Amino acid sequence: MTEEILAVYERLSFCFETRKFADLRILLLDMEPADIAHYLENSLEEKEQLMFFRLLPKELASDVFVEIDSDLQERLIKAFTDNELKQVIDDMFLDDTVDIIEEMPANVVKRILKNSTPEDRKQINELLEYPEDSAGSIMTTEYISFSPSTTIESAFDKIRRTGVNKETIYTCYVVDRKKRLVGAVSVKDMLLAEKNSIIADVMDANAVVANTLDDKEQVALMFSKYDKLALPVIDKEGCLVGIITVDDAVDVIQEEATEDMQKIAAVLPNEKPYLKQSIFSIWKARAPWLILLLITSTFTSIILSNYESKLNSVLYAFVPMLMGTAGNAGGQTSVTIIRAIAVGDVEFKDIFKVILKEMLVAVALGLTIGVICFGKIMLIDSLYDKIAITEAVVISVVCAISLIMAKLVGCVLPLLAKKIKLDPAVVASPLMTTIVDALALIIYCTIAIAII
Amino acid sequence: MTEEILAVYERLSFCFETRKFADLRILLLDMEPADIAHYLENSLEEKEQLMFFRLLPKELASDVFVEIDSDLQERLIKAFTDNELKQVIDDMFLDDTVDIIEEMPANVVKRILKNSTPEDRKQINELLEYPEDSAGSIMTTEYISFSPSTTIESAFDKIRRTGVNKETIYTCYVVDRKKRLVGAVSVKDMLLAEKNSIIADVMDANAVVANTLDDKEQVALMFSKYDKLALPVIDKEGCLVGIITVDDAVDVIQEEATEDMQKIAAVLPNEKPYLKQSIFSIWKARAPWLILLLITSTFTSIILSNYESKLNSVLYAFVPMLMGTAGNAGGQTSVTIIRAIAVGDVEFKDIFKVILKEMLVAVALGLTIGVICFGKIMLIDSLYDKIAITEAVVISVVCAISLIMAKLVGCVLPLLAKKIKLDPAVVASPLMTTIVDALALIIYCTIAIAII
């Protein structure tokens, strides 16, 4: 929050409290919808929120509404008259309406649909049918299309006539009589073309397209790869059914990164901003993995119990260090590979390249860490405990071996998960630690007992 | 990689090998620059790459060049004639030229600057002076600006005349005689306005702006918050000095997310795609944290050694479980808070809200995990080892307490790091585990000895 915006918020509060509503509206007209939404959510009491929303200039109401969080949206909708609701929905883009509907309880959804135009209702219902993570679920049907024989001049007329209600006018699409996509044309190319040339002359006939059922994360990556402002979405027949704009792709990229980090940290995905999450929903997102990892830790306890009588106390004291190093080493690799898969740098077909690379790195790191571990034991740890050289050698060697083994598990697991269409981030991270911990312990105990 | 693109790649290879260069060019004209760059990098031998690049249609050469990786860029530049280099640079946007220059050795930089126009050279040098992570470092100076009194018609004339070489034409900027930014105007608003109205009538006088020295991550977040296609960048005097376009913001968002994940996983940031990183650079990025964490694990060894004679073997066997649970619980919180800070959901001023929330969640989770832990010990662990009820109670209680303590550390550390302008992701994650491990052990040993 910049100081500038905080100053504007103060002026808003002053106008609102002193009922200077004309001044309030002038202030609001100069503000970004996202900033107004933030004010509405955080600076007003529940009772004041509806009143404040009603004071919004008409042209801003919908833009602000899509920016506020779903709890407040629900409360506002319940308080709206049918007329108010109609107005807000009419001015919203269909993809935003669909996003809101997906968060609302059934009775609110019914009211929203009742107050939409029949044409919008039909399209909303179609959009709602696409699977949750598909391109179809984030597209909008409000785009501009031309036939290939349209002249540039009449194309601009169409933009002027219908552009106000379209999510973007900067990329328009070209379709044949059967609505099949035949090209894309940018307003830039249209502006730079002769007025009497036709769309077919300036369009890009090989536009990058997404399919309705493509994973939305893959589609978002296409934006960062090809630097587009919008992508057309086609169905199985090649017909244009919608477009996705870059602002929605940005949201997907942010959400997917957040989700992957949550999964890596053993938290179930939760889309709401942190401060809006309830204690219960945070508990629900965190308890399952903690419980699962607690249960699986039984393995390490069993292993330690079994070898209990055979490991001396010196060797015992190094168990946390060994498991920690293996866990850290495995985590470095698994997170690197999970991210590389997510941004499209690595695919399953690269598995042997990846394994080779990780094993070379692992051997180099194993040597490094093994030597440093030996040095540390002889120089530091031997200060407070009597440690034999054989023991130091065994610990260092096991440390190096566990590290290599952890890196192998760390690179193979996410790639296998991807191959069998599981989420690499879920499978690979917390689970990996358990596997790596257990393996490291077994290696340690076996080698230690064999040698000492 | 979709099958469609792989099919195009095969046709490319066929044309290239059979020297059907006319056909090759036709194929290339229909392709996206990013796809051509990928082919050039991965499907051709070193010797063929230069030849292939020379075959590219002129209008594509620069677009492809900016998409290829810096090693290949360097090799190509070294092989280019001065004329070829001039051509490629001339057609590139200045922010891309600056990005390339930042990766090149001094002698290549010299050649690039020598082959730029004097005007470009001046601007490149200015852009190079902005700090690495600043808005100035990712902006371009190629934008369209009008004076407020320009008519819509002459504004469109200017776009037609100069738009080809601008990074975006869809948002234009309005400046006064001293080059101070007074507004922004979208081509959409211009298209929908009367031809003889003036820019001042349709512009947005309260455009969202970035400052040259703003953190580029913060600026990228403004794109996702305000859904803009471009943002103007102003200097301390309020003069317009450049613009940032959404495609660059998308890159920053992706890079920052990757960087945060790397830091969380105890890897030093590395910008190159995984498969392009050398074994040595991966080793260099991973070894320092592994070594540091190995050294700090001395604490846990010391603690365990100290209590060695006092802990019985049953209590010993549960050390990995306790440390694991504390580490997982702390990681859940620290990663959640790190991400919330990164996307702007949480600031330092929220610290008490965050601590309160985390402590409530921690108590709920502590109770859950404590109970389950007790159940697990009595039902599962007691199958293979004799465990007294007192021992089970102590272990479960310590498990719950360490979990709560880990969550406190996990939420306070990243916020404090943010406050003292350190990177939350670096400070909070691997370091946290060490602190949490040591604390959990101390709590365990103290309580266990006091009671048993």
Side-chain angles (χ1 to χ4, degrees), chain A residues 266-316:
Chain A
V267 176
L268 300 180
N270 190 329
E271 275 188 18
K272 280 200 178 181
Y274 176 74
L275 292 176
K276 310 255 174 198
Q277 292 173 20
S278 69
I279 306 290
F280 178 66
S281 74
I282 300 181
W283 177 87
K284 229 172 47 182
R286 296 183 187 175
W289 269 111
L290 282 184
I291 295 172
L292 184 65
L293 293 170
L294 181 80
I295 305 286
T296 54
S297 75
T298 308
F299 294 118
T300 56
S301 308
I302 295 181
I303 297 167
L304 274 178
S305 273
N306 271 342
Y307 288 99
E308 175 238 306
S309 53
K310 293 159 198 157
L311 282 186
N312 64 37
S313 66
V314 169
L315 293 177
Y316 246 148

Side-chain angles (χ1 to χ4, degrees), chain B residues 362-434:
Chain B
V363 170
L365 282 171
L367 287 174
T368 317
I369 294 298
V371 169
I372 292 176
C373 181
F374 183 77
K376 172 186 108 83
I377 295 174
M378 299 312 289
L379 295 175
I380 308 177
D381 298 318
S382 60
L383 291 179
Y384 59 85
D385 214 341
K386 235 188 115 230
I387 303 169
I389 289 199
T390 350
E391 288 171 339
V393 170
V394 167
I395 295 167
S396 310
V397 169
V398 170
C399 196
I401 295 177
S402 328
L403 180 150
I404 295 171
M405 176 275 306
K407 293 226 171 264
L408 184 63
V409 176
C411 71
V412 170
L413 265 193
L415 285 164
L416 286 185
K418 179 76 187 170
K419 179 67 183 173
I420 56 175
K421 293 190 195 296
L422 287 174
D423 188 328
V426 172
V427 179
S429 224
L431 210 61
M432 190 214 61
T433 318
T434 308

Side-chain angles (χ1 to χ4, degrees), chain B residues 56-102:
Chain B
L56 288 179
K58 275 224 174 70
E59 58 271 43
L60 273 174
S62 295
D63 292 343
V64 172
F65 192 80
V66 300
E67 298 284 345
I68 58 187
D69 72 80
S70 54
D71 293 343
L72 181 52
Q73 281 173 340
E74 189 179 333
R75 262 192 288 125
L76 286 177
I77 292 178
K78 285 179 174 162
F80 283 161
T81 65
D82 274 358
N83 241 339
E84 282 173 328
L85 182 58
K86 211 183 193 67
Q87 186 104 46
V88 169
I89 299 170
D90 272 357
D91 289 349
M92 239 158 27
F93 291 118
L94 283 177
D95 56 341
D96 292 328
T97 313
V98 169
D99 285 348
I100 292 171
I101 283 178
E102 281 167 343

Side-chain angles (χ1 to χ4, degrees), chain A residues 1 5 30 32 34-35 67 156 159-160 163-164 166 169-170 186-188 191-192 206 208 221 224-229 246-247 250 253-254 257-258 260-261 265-267 273-277 279 282-283 286-287 290-291 293-295 297-298 300-302 304-305 308 313 316-318 320-321 323 325 328-329 331-333 335-337 339-340 343 345-347 350 354 357-358 360-361 364-365 368-369 372-373 376 380-381 384-385 403 407, chain B residues 1 5 30 32 34-35 67 156 159-160 163-164 166 169-170 186-188 191-192 206 208 221 224-229 246-247 250 253-254 257-258 260-261 265-267 273-277 279 282-283 286-287 290-291 293-295 297-298 300-302 304-305 308 313 316-318 320-321 323 325 328-329 331-333 335-337 339-340 343 345-347 350 354 357-358 360-361 364-365 368-369 372-373 376 380-381 384-385 403 407:
Chain A
M1 202 69 358
I5 292 177
D30 278 347
E32 290 292 323
D35 291 330
E67 298 284 345
F156 273 119
I159 292 178
R160 287 200 184 87
V164 185
K166 304 304 179 187
I169 64 161
Y170 300 131
S186 71
V187 162
K188 182 172 182 172
L191 277 174
L192 301 177
N206 288 73
V208 179
L221 282 184
S224 76
K225 186 168 177 190
Y226 299 126
D227 294 346
K228 300 287 177 190
L229 299 180
V246 67
D247 52 316
V250 169
I253 288 175
Q254 287 278 39
T258 302
D260 278 355
M261 284 192 212
V267 176
Y274 176 74
L275 292 176
K276 310 255 174 198
Q277 292 173 20
I279 306 290
I282 300 181
W283 177 87
R286 296 183 187 175
L290 282 184
I291 295 172
L293 293 170
L294 181 80
I295 305 286
S297 75
T298 308
T300 56
S301 308
I302 295 181
L304 274 178
S305 273
E308 175 238 306
S313 66
Y316 246 148
F318 286 95
M321 183 207 78
M323 287 172 57
T325 304
N328 292 329
Q332 288 183 329
T333 299
V335 171
T336 303
I337 303 300
R339 184 64 184 160
V343 298
D345 284 345
V346 163
E347 299 174 61
D350 302 314
V354 172
K357 194 160 211 166
E358 282 300 320
L360 290 173
V361 173
L365 282 171
T368 317
I369 294 297
I372 292 177
C373 182
K376 172 186 109 82
I380 307 178
D381 298 315
Y384 59 88
D385 214 343
L403 181 149
K407 293 226 170 264
Chain B
M1 204 66 357
I5 292 177
D30 279 346
E32 290 291 325
D35 291 330
E67 298 284 345
F156 272 119
I159 293 178
R160 286 199 184 88
V164 185
K166 304 303 176 186
I169 63 159
Y170 299 131
S186 71
V187 162
K188 183 172 181 175
L191 277 174
L192 301 177
N206 288 73
V208 179
L221 283 185
S224 75
K225 186 168 177 189
Y226 298 125
D227 294 348
K228 301 285 175 190
L229 298 180
V246 65
D247 52 314
V250 169
I253 288 174
Q254 288 278 39
T258 302
D260 278 354
M261 284 192 214
V267 176
Y274 177 75
L275 291 175
K276 309 255 172 196
Q277 292 173 20
I279 305 292
I282 300 181
W283 176 87
R286 295 183 187 176
L290 283 184
I291 295 172
L293 293 170
L294 181 80
I295 306 287
S297 76
T298 307
T300 56
S301 307
I302 295 180
L304 274 178
S305 272
E308 176 237 307
S313 68
Y316 247 148
F318 285 96
M321 183 207 78
M323 287 172 57
T325 303
N328 292 329
Q332 287 183 330
T333 298
V335 170
T336 302
I337 303 299
R339 184 63 182 161
V343 298
D345 285 346
V346 164
E347 298 174 61
D350 302 314
V354 172
K357 195 160 210 166
E358 282 300 320
L360 290 173
V361 173
L365 282 171
T368 317
I369 294 298
I372 292 176
C373 181
K376 172 186 108 83
I380 308 177
D381 298 318
Y384 59 85
D385 214 341
L403 180 150
K407 293 226 171 264

